[in-house]
Amino acid sequence: MRLRVEFTTEPFDLDQAPAHAVVAREVIEAAELDAVDVGPFGNTAEGGADTVLAAVDALLRKSLQAGATRISLQVNVVDAAGEGAE
């Protein structure tokens, strides 16, 4: 199964990326995900189910530890028949 995750961390700071946003970006970029798109108002990444779910777990834990007060995320199945369960 292939998944797409979309997420944002808050609070926002337009002058400088807050620590929680930097940590979230580092987690996603370090994971072996495809089609990673990191931006100031939203981030997306795709990959196999196990990889995406592990990245989401790390993203939540590390971003909260780094000061995030809210994390909004959405996970969608983009190919249920694709790569298997990983």
Side-chain angles (χ1 to χ4, degrees), residues 42-53:
N43 310 283
T44 62
E46 291 184 17
D50 289 343
T51 304
V52 169
L53 294 173

Side-chain angles (χ1 to χ4, degrees), residues 7-68:
F7 67 92
T8 58
T9 61
E10 296 179 40
F12 295 116
D13 183 345
L14 296 178
D15 294 327
Q16 179 177 331
H20 59 82
V22 172
V23 167
R25 180 177 63 229
E26 290 172 349
V27 167
I28 291 301
E29 290 177 342
E32 294 184 20
L33 297 169
D34 307 323
V36 174
D37 183 18
V38 177
F41 300 109
N43 310 283
T44 62
E46 291 184 17
D50 289 343
T51 304
V52 169
L53 294 173
V56 166
D57 178 65
L59 167 79
L60 292 171
R61 293 174 188 277
K62 292 181 179 184
S63 295
L64 290 168
Q65 289 172 349

Side-chain angles (χ1 to χ4, degrees), residues 1 5-6 17 19 23-24 32 38 45 47 57 60 64 70-71 76-78 80-81 86:
M1 178 183 308
V5 61
E6 302 175 43
V23 167
E32 294 184 20
V38 177
D57 178 65
L60 292 171
L64 290 168
R70 178 179 176 145
I71 302 169
N76 294 320
V77 174
V78 292
E86 238 187 68

